[in-house]
Amino acid sequence: MIPANSHNFSSEIQKSNKPKTLNFLKTTLNSIQTYFSSHPRDEVFITFLFVQALVIFIVRTPPPSLPAEYATVSASDNHLPPPITIICNNTRSETDTPPPEVEECGIGKIYVYDLPSMLNKDLVLANCTDLNPWNWQCGIVPNHGYGNAATEFAGIFPGTLSSSWYRTNQFSLELIFHHRMLHHKCRTLEPESATAFYIPFYAGLAVGKFLWGNDTAKRDWHCRMMLQWVKKQKSWQRSNGSDHFMAVGRITWDFRRLTDPGKLWGSSFLNMPEMQQVTRFTIEKAPGDYYDVSVPYPTGFHPKTKKHIQEWQNFVRYYNRSSLFTFIGAKRGEIKNDFRGLLLSYCYNESDSCRVVDCGVTQCSTDSSAIHKALLGSHFCLQPRGDSFTRRSVFDCMVAGSVPVFFWKRTAYDQYEWFLPTDPKSYSVFIDHEDVRNGKSIKEVLMRYSEQEIRRKRENLIEAIPRIIYAKPNKGLGSFRDAFDIAVDEVLRRIKLEKEWADFVE
């Protein structure tokens, strides 16, 4: 049983003074209201203009576009608030300091729930300490999710660079975020002072244990227990979860089980009513769901200092790449018209230009050195969709400074907005998968790019590397922001703006 009231917060959150801008706006609106009371015709005209603008906004806002095999994301999709555009910039010089708002937690403070251990720590497999091709949970345990040191890189990467590499499990996001949240500079131990609340529930581990069985109730059990617990907290009751967020270690589709009896994959966690206003970081999001925020897959690169990042950037910038492109993957014999198999055959036929790592032959889950040798030695890397639209290899590719070639736009272009360059053409190449099936030559497309064009794309990737990795130090790297810092800062900013807007319209 889960404790009935593990946290009993006796005091209410104190309302802070509204920003001067909000007071100014309210004063202005009062003046407008007074004006309209004596000028009714003007009121009708202004109202008409407002309705026109609202209609234009609704028409121009694209509707959620889900793949044909998935049903509607949730019952509340049509009531989602409009997205807030935040520009992330990681280009400050070494002598710059963070803006006072970030430095002084002006965006807000975060309270981390102390959940019963059955909802996080007890879910981690205790007797599996390294990667195992037959057990997806292995490698999650060591180093708070970072994994054991990748000693196989000692002879590949020069100097101390190999010390920044680990055997990181691609599903370890929950542990990494939990550990970093506990050491976050804006963490508060007083829920009354918090702007946002972090739920350290290991949903991916809880659901993943039962994904390949037929008992759907087991997949939902921990999720329901977590929601029962959190709903008893006063902070939840005040907001109904709208200022809560969490990290989910698997793709969003593993938590959106459909009611169709023929489609029983996954948990129904994200379809549960209580989750409709909770923001969740996930390695692949659902299009059109405002509360899904896609964050980069954890790679094996976790630098300890800013100097290590700069050394790595220079290493991949000047690495001698002898192959035009590479493909890393294996055939999926059970899938009809398997595109990965098509790429594998194509690369074998173009062996003078393509470097192949056949994961049906090489144990890619345990031999990451083979993967990174191929990525470092190639100008481009082919990135088809995986079991879903993206896969960890996309981020391995970019960290290695190899230009990704995408065949589905949803693999990267419709996701990771806070982390990747805004212009897809500036860092990648797109070739439609149907064109490839119809005989279009990948080699011919890639050979059209000049050395200067490839160098420009690579330079944009190198600049983006800090934003797509998770640094090793508990408190991050100070003024430098990695993927974790960006994700937390931006969701805090979003929650703060929404609270200010809610106060304003009261």
Side-chain angles (χ1 to χ4, degrees):
M1 291 290 293
I2 297 177
N5 248 330
S6 210
H7 290 277
N8 186 13
F9 307 139
S10 57
S11 58
E12 296 289 329
I13 293 180
Q14 300 296 322
K15 289 189 176 180
S16 60
N17 293 328
K18 295 180 176 63
K20 292 182 179 179
T21 52
L22 291 181
N23 289 334
F24 170 77
L25 286 172
K26 285 190 173 182
T27 302
T28 303
L29 285 178
N30 288 335
S31 301
I32 293 173
Q33 186 177 12
T34 302
Y35 174 85
F36 280 156
S37 64
S38 57
H39 299 79
R41 290 185 178 180
D42 289 355
E43 180 179 3
V44 172
F45 177 70
I46 295 297
T47 302
F48 171 77
L49 292 179
F50 174 77
V51 172
Q52 291 274 45
L54 183 61
V55 169
I56 292 172
F57 171 78
I58 293 173
V59 170
R60 293 188 64 177
T61 300
S65 56
L66 291 177
E69 63 267 32
Y70 295 114
T72 303
V73 170
S74 70
S76 62
D77 278 351
N78 293 330
H79 306 286
L80 298 177
I84 298 172
T85 302
I86 307 275
I87 298 176
C88 305
N89 188 359
N90 246 344
T91 59
R92 290 196 294 268
S93 69
E94 289 218 70
T95 57
D96 288 345
T97 56
E101 181 184 55
V102 175
E103 190 174 61
E104 300 171 9
C105 299
I107 304 177
K109 296 182 179 180
I110 305 164
Y111 182 79
V112 181
Y113 283 122
D114 184 15
L115 293 181
S117 61
M118 63 177 290
L119 298 174
N120 44 44
K121 296 176 184 176
D122 292 350
L123 293 169
V124 178
L125 193 62
N127 61 351
C128 188
T129 58
D130 212 342
L131 295 178
N132 181 331
W134 309 113
N135 194 329
W136 65 269
Q137 299 174 74
C138 289
I140 292 180
V141 179
N143 288 324
H144 309 289
Y146 294 103
N148 286 327
T151 55
E152 63 268 25
F153 290 132
I156 301 174
F157 304 150
T160 60
L161 280 178
S162 60
S163 66
S164 294
W165 283 84
Y166 297 81
R167 294 170 183 162
T168 307
N169 189 302
Q170 65 176 337
F171 298 127
S172 62
L173 190 77
E174 297 156 343
L175 276 77
I176 293 174
F177 263 75
H178 187 190
H179 180 65
R180 290 282 298 272
M181 288 302 310
L182 291 176
H183 298 87
H184 196 275
K185 62 186 176 184
C186 294
R187 180 192 175 195
T188 178
L189 300 180
E190 300 173 354
E192 295 83 3
S193 66
T195 299
F197 299 82
Y198 183 72
I199 307 173
F201 172 45
Y202 296 171
L205 284 172
V207 171
K209 290 177 181 291
F210 307 106
L211 276 176
W212 288 270
N214 294 323
D215 193 338
T216 55
K218 284 185 177 180
R219 299 184 211 149
D220 291 345
W221 188 83
H222 288 90
C223 302
R224 296 189 187 281
M225 292 300 102
M226 184 279 287
L227 290 172
Q228 285 183 22
W229 185 90
V230 78
K231 283 194 301 183
K232 294 175 182 177
Q233 313 309 312
K234 289 184 179 180
S235 49
W236 175 279
Q237 294 168 3
R238 282 190 292 268
S239 66
N240 200 29
S242 62
D243 53 5
H244 287 54
F245 68 105
M246 61 183 294
V248 177
R250 302 184 70 93
I251 63 174
T252 191
W253 311 114
D254 290 344
F255 305 95
R256 298 179 180 276
R257 187 175 69 247
L258 304 179
T259 55
D260 183 347
K263 297 179 179 178
L264 297 178
W265 177 261
S267 164
S268 61
F269 181 45
L270 297 186
N271 290 331
M272 295 177 183
E274 297 88 348
M275 287 300 297
Q276 299 312 302
Q277 296 188 81
V278 176
T279 299
R280 50 266 178 176
F281 299 128
T282 178
I283 49 182
E284 180 175 335
K285 72 176 185 178
D289 191 329
Y290 174 78
Y291 295 101
D292 263 11
V293 176
S294 52
V295 297
Y297 271 77
T299 66
F301 183 50
H302 306 291
K304 300 178 179 66
T305 66
K306 189 169 184 177
K307 181 180 178 182
H308 287 169
I309 295 172
Q310 292 170 329
E311 288 177 351
W312 178 259
Q313 288 175 311
N314 282 329
F315 176 63
V316 301
R317 178 180 286 119
Y318 300 115
Y319 197 91
N320 183 23
R321 300 173 190 267
S322 57
S323 298
L324 180 62
F325 59 104
T326 186
F327 174 65
I328 300 165
K331 292 181 179 180
R332 298 294 180 93
E334 69 280 7
I335 298 178
K336 186 178 180 180
N337 297 322
D338 174 35
F339 192 73
R340 288 203 218 178
L342 176 65
L343 292 182
L344 193 63
S345 298
Y346 180 81
C347 269
Y348 275 129
N349 291 332
E350 297 287 355
S351 57
D352 59 327
S353 301
C354 183
R355 179 179 291 193
V356 179
V357 179
D358 187 346
C359 294
V361 178
T362 302
Q363 286 292 343
C364 294
S365 59
T366 57
D367 188 6
S368 57
S369 63
I371 293 172
H372 288 283
K373 283 180 182 178
L375 293 172
L376 285 167
S378 304
H379 291 287
F380 297 93
C381 58
L382 308 186
Q383 293 298 333
R385 57 173 292 172
D387 294 326
S388 57
F389 279 95
T390 190
R391 58 181 188 153
R392 169 174 160 163
S393 179
V394 170
F395 294 95
D396 288 332
C397 166
M398 292 190 286
V399 167
S402 185
V403 177
V405 180
F406 298 123
F407 304 91
W408 281 265
K409 291 185 177 180
R410 276 182 51 190
T411 298
Y413 301 159
D414 299 332
Q415 303 193 76
Y416 314 110
E417 299 92 339
W418 293 347
F419 309 94
L420 296 179
T422 304
D423 180 9
K425 294 180 181 178
S426 70
Y427 72 95
S428 67
V429 172
F430 179 76
I431 308 173
D432 191 273
H433 59 283
E434 290 298 338
D435 291 340
V436 176
R437 290 189 189 278
N438 291 328
K440 190 168 191 174
S441 171
I442 298 171
K443 177 180 176 179
E444 289 180 7
V445 172
L446 300 182
M447 287 185 69
R448 294 188 196 124
Y449 288 93
S450 67
E451 183 178 339
Q452 291 75 20
E453 288 174 312
I454 296 173
R455 188 181 298 117
R456 281 196 294 269
K457 289 179 184 290
R458 177 170 299 114
E459 198 58 40
N460 286 324
L461 279 177
I462 290 171
E463 190 276 332
I465 287 175
R467 303 197 296 269
I468 61 174
I469 53 94
Y470 299 93
K472 187 68 170 64
N474 291 343
K475 294 185 179 181
L477 298 174
S479 61
F480 159 75
R481 296 201 306 163
D482 66 352
F484 170 84
D485 293 321
I486 291 171
V488 174
D489 284 354
E490 302 312 323
V491 81
L492 257 178
R493 196 185 307 273
R494 191 165 80 169
I495 289 173
K496 180 185 177 185
L497 289 173
E498 288 170 356
K499 284 190 173 184
E500 290 176 347
W501 174 251
D503 289 342
F504 171 68
V505 298
E506 281 182 358

